[in-house]
Amino acid sequence: MVRRGGGKGLLWGTAVVLLLLGFVRPFVALRPLKERVSSAADSWGEELFIRRDENELISYSAWNITGTYRGRWSFLDATNGSTRFLDFGKSSGVSVVELVSSPTRIHGVHYIQGAVTFHDVFDNEHDHGVAQMRLEGVYIWPFQKLRMVANSVANDESIQEEDYFFSNPYNLLGVFSSQVFQESTRDKIRRNKSLTYDMEKHCHVEIAAQVSRISSNQNDGNHDLYHLEGLMEGPATDGDGECFSSILLNATSVNIEAYYNKAVNYTLMVTFISFLQVLLLIRQMEHSNTQSGAAKVSIIMIGQQAVMDAYLCLLNLTAGILVESLFNAFATAAFFKFVVFSIFEMRYLLAIWKASRPMHNGESWETMRRELSVLYSRFYGILLGGILVLYQMHNFLRPILLIMYSFWIPQIVTNVIRDTRKPLHPHYIVGMTLTRLAIPLYIFGCPSNFLRIEVDEYWCIYLGVFMGLQASVLLLQHYLGSRCFIPRQILPEKYCYYRKFENASQETDCVICMTAIDFTQHSNGYMVTPCDHCFHSGCLQRWMDIKMECPTCRRSLPPA
């Protein structure tokens, strides 16, 4: 039952007066507004006829104003924005209004439950940024009038409109994004709960608003959109002035259909990006399809990208489970990300691991299986441990993302240490850099992203420059040499394959092509290994692209 208070009694009086002025059919007694209508005659399709004169009947259709409204709040008097309980950091800000409307047995009156959330609000002690008030009231739909008062609830008391809040996709994805990508708005609201409870206890918080339907030429979707414009006042219960200055509220209902389209477009983008990444991985695997080529690739670099794709798979799958109506779209994006990391990247990871240990190819299957289990346990251990770290440090998500997007650095370091030649295909370097940047730039750089994350232009610029520098260094190493940017004075001594062959007076055959080596030509025509075996330059270079072993004695060879 509705609590009997001064503010709520005013609401009932307003509803009765408005209905009587409209010459609504008489009723004997007012029944509780929370009592639902069970008959079909009192459903949303009901109509109220008001006689303006003897020959004219005007039909008013009931508007279902249930939904989420997003807009702005501002002080009616910009010079006086003080309050007793809340210090508003600005004279205006973002407001979100949640409304759940249900018909009553009183024709023309609907019972309203909801909440209003004010952003850019600061209390007197802590910078919470968000304040929320629970509301209840009546909606006189023949006159499009909305009257609400603050509804103080105990901490353990459940509220009826929460069923709507936790089933609305707009709110579900908002909770999901706030939990994953930024500090939780609900945590801020929970910390502010005692403060707003005291304000609702000592103040008569009242909202009077006019509801209007948005014209069809302004509405992009097929569903009706509504606009709320009203005034929020807070006279003190003890009659000593007002608790806060009057606040103007302007909010428009969210177009859920357009919101769905944004989410679907995001999943299509992720699917397309995953397809491109599969093609790039295939190109790179063909580029390094030999044992020597795979050994040049950093296993940390591939593993880091596999972990990132696994996280994206889990996030998309979680979003699909949370929002049932968008499950197919998010599940498709999650499936393609699963294919990228579990099939292609894990297969490439295994090929690099096998190429990095050529001396153990003749070992037993039991030993191989044991070491493989260690490799997989390390990968999935890092994956699960990273989830725990992200959960505990989600307030530092942007710095963590910068660390995760430094996946090219292990390959750069490996190239310098081993002095490897062309380990990555240029198309793979450029393509992976661009496709990896697409999702974070959409989330943090697109002003109309479906997750409603605030745009952070500087962070997007930092990320783009950071990734561009890494890719540029890799391309320089590809075309100019792995150590092109390091001064020669600090480089370690490098073995010279073009040294003089001590047995040049004897006739020597190249065991690779089985032809004689002509020592009378320029010294660049032949190469000598550290184990003092001689080969044609072209033959040995092609051999080292396959195996870094001496063709004669199978000793390991240093990079050329």
Side-chain angles (χ1 to χ4, degrees):
M1 298 296 292
V2 178
R3 298 177 180 83
R4 301 183 180 278
K8 298 176 186 178
L10 178 62
L11 289 177
W12 294 112
T14 303
V16 172
V17 170
L18 287 174
L19 289 174
L20 290 177
L21 290 176
F23 298 100
V24 183
R25 61 179 183 175
F27 47 87
V28 177
L30 288 175
R31 298 187 181 184
L33 288 182
K34 286 187 177 181
E35 186 175 351
R36 303 296 183 86
V37 177
S38 58
S39 62
D42 294 329
S43 64
W44 283 110
E46 67 181 352
E47 291 187 346
L48 178 66
F49 295 94
I50 300 179
R51 185 178 300 275
R52 287 188 174 177
D53 52 48
E54 296 180 354
N55 300 321
E56 182 182 6
L57 283 177
I58 304 298
S59 173
Y60 291 87
S61 298
W63 293 351
N64 185 357
I65 62 172
T66 298
T68 301
Y69 296 77
R70 185 177 179 87
R72 306 283 301 178
W73 64 265
S74 60
F75 284 109
L76 183 63
D77 184 4
T79 60
N80 183 18
S82 61
T83 69
R84 292 187 184 181
F85 299 93
L86 292 175
D87 284 343
F88 287 72
K90 301 179 181 179
S91 60
S92 62
V94 177
S95 62
V96 178
V97 181
E98 310 274 2
L99 297 179
V100 180
S101 177
S102 56
T104 66
R105 291 192 179 276
I106 305 175
H107 288 279
V109 179
H110 287 166
Y111 176 69
I112 301 295
Q113 283 183 299
V116 57
T117 303
F118 296 97
H119 295 262
D120 305 317
V121 177
F122 305 87
D123 63 33
N124 294 324
E125 297 179 359
H126 304 286
D127 180 5
H128 289 160
V130 175
Q132 186 185 70
M133 297 182 195
R134 298 290 184 178
L135 305 170
E136 68 174 351
V138 293
Y139 170 48
I140 316 299
W141 54 259
F143 303 96
Q144 291 83 54
K145 299 292 185 181
L146 182 63
R147 298 292 186 271
M148 293 182 293
V149 296
N151 179 19
S152 300
V153 295
N155 293 334
D156 57 347
E157 184 177 352
S158 61
I159 306 179
Q160 179 180 351
E161 77 269 13
E162 288 186 354
D163 296 336
Y164 166 76
F165 295 160
F166 289 108
S167 63
N168 186 350
Y170 182 86
N171 295 283
L172 289 174
L173 287 176
V175 173
F176 172 76
S177 64
S178 64
Q179 292 286 350
V180 175
F181 296 105
Q182 57 189 359
E183 184 179 1
S184 172
T185 300
R186 290 188 177 273
D187 290 342
K188 297 178 182 179
I189 293 172
R190 193 176 295 113
R191 291 190 229 124
N192 243 346
K193 191 170 185 179
S194 60
L195 188 69
T196 55
Y197 180 78
D198 291 338
M199 184 173 65
E200 294 166 358
K201 183 178 179 181
H202 296 90
C203 307
H204 287 302
V205 181
E206 304 170 355
I207 296 179
Q210 180 74 30
V211 181
S212 60
R213 192 198 302 265
I214 297 179
S215 60
S216 57
N217 57 353
Q218 300 177 5
N219 188 357
D220 297 331
N222 296 325
H223 300 284
D224 293 332
L225 296 183
Y226 303 99
H227 180 74
L228 301 180
E229 184 174 359
L231 187 66
M232 178 176 175
E233 298 177 329
T237 55
D238 54 8
D240 185 14
E242 295 186 352
C243 293
F244 55 86
S245 302
S246 300
I247 297 176
L248 289 174
L249 292 177
N250 285 278
T252 303
S253 58
V254 177
N255 190 342
I256 299 297
E257 183 178 354
Y259 190 68
Y260 274 19
N261 292 335
K262 290 181 182 180
V264 172
N265 291 337
Y266 161 79
T267 58
L268 291 176
M269 179 190 70
V270 174
T271 302
F272 179 70
I273 288 174
S274 302
F275 179 73
L276 290 180
Q277 290 174 349
V278 168
L279 296 180
L280 293 170
L281 280 168
I282 294 175
R283 172 65 68 89
Q284 173 59 28
M285 293 170 72
E286 292 176 349
H287 177 74
S288 58
N289 59 353
T290 62
Q291 181 180 355
S292 175
K296 298 176 183 178
V297 181
S298 171
I299 193 172
I300 299 177
M301 181 264 295
I302 298 297
Q304 196 168 340
Q305 294 188 61
V307 169
M308 292 170 57
D309 288 325
Y311 287 155
L312 288 174
C313 173
L314 292 176
L315 287 175
N316 284 284
L317 186 61
T318 303
I321 295 174
L322 189 64
V323 186
E324 186 177 356
S325 57
L326 292 172
F327 176 78
N328 291 337
F330 281 106
T332 301
F335 171 75
F336 274 88
K337 277 299 175 184
F338 178 80
V339 169
V340 171
F341 96 87
S342 66
I343 298 179
F344 291 94
E345 288 175 334
M346 291 302 296
R347 178 184 174 185
Y348 196 29
L349 198 69
L350 182 60
I352 297 171
W353 174 76
K354 291 176 63 177
S356 62
R357 45 193 303 278
M359 299 301 293
H360 303 281
N361 286 335
E363 61 191 359
S364 64
W365 168 246
E366 289 295 330
T367 305
M368 179 73 73
R369 188 175 63 177
R370 184 166 52 254
E371 294 193 7
L372 273 177
S373 64
V374 172
L375 176 67
Y376 280 102
S377 61
R378 288 178 180 176
F379 174 79
Y380 287 106
I382 293 174
L383 183 66
L384 295 177
I387 294 176
L388 295 178
V389 171
L390 289 174
Y391 178 78
Q392 294 294 333
M393 304 180 65
H394 67 278
N395 291 333
F396 304 95
L397 180 63
R398 287 172 174 80
I400 292 176
L401 284 178
L402 286 177
I403 295 175
M404 295 179 66
Y405 273 80
S406 62
F407 54 83
W408 290 132
I409 293 180
Q411 185 63 57
I412 295 174
V413 175
T414 301
N415 293 346
V416 173
I417 294 175
R418 300 179 183 176
D419 194 18
T420 54
R421 296 187 309 114
K422 302 179 179 180
L424 302 179
H425 197 284
H427 293 173
Y428 177 77
I429 298 173
V430 176
M432 276 296 178
T433 301
L434 295 178
T435 54
R436 296 288 180 195
L437 281 173
I439 294 178
L441 290 184
Y442 169 79
I443 294 175
F444 297 103
C446 179
S448 59
N449 65 84
F450 79 99
L451 290 172
R452 309 194 298 279
I453 303 296
E454 294 184 2
V455 174
D456 193 343
E457 296 179 356
Y458 292 105
W459 186 86
C460 293
I461 294 174
Y462 294 153
L463 180 63
V465 172
F466 182 54
M467 290 293 294
L469 288 176
Q470 296 179 65
S472 300
V473 173
L474 281 175
L475 291 175
L476 288 175
Q477 289 181 327
H478 180 86
Y479 292 106
L480 303 179
S482 301
R483 300 175 176 177
C484 62
F485 54 89
I486 298 179
R488 293 184 178 181
Q489 292 79 4
I490 63 175
L491 287 176
E493 186 178 353
K494 184 177 180 181
Y495 177 76
C496 181
Y497 279 91
Y498 298 99
R499 67 181 175 86
K500 184 178 180 180
F501 185 51
E502 296 178 357
N503 299 326
S505 58
Q506 302 177 0
E507 184 177 353
T508 305
D509 293 336
C510 176
V511 299
I512 299 176
C513 64
M514 302 306 293
T515 59
I517 301 174
D518 186 4
F519 294 103
T520 61
Q521 295 181 356
H522 194 268
S523 60
N524 289 339
Y526 63 89
M527 298 173 67
V528 184
T529 62
C531 49
D532 208 28
H533 295 120
C534 189
F535 310 92
H536 290 116
S537 297
C539 295
L540 187 59
Q541 287 177 356
R542 288 191 296 270
W543 176 271
M544 287 193 297
D545 287 337
I546 300 174
K547 288 185 177 181
M548 293 298 292
E549 298 175 354
C550 177
T552 303
C553 64
R554 303 301 180 184
R555 288 182 60 181
S556 297
L557 297 177

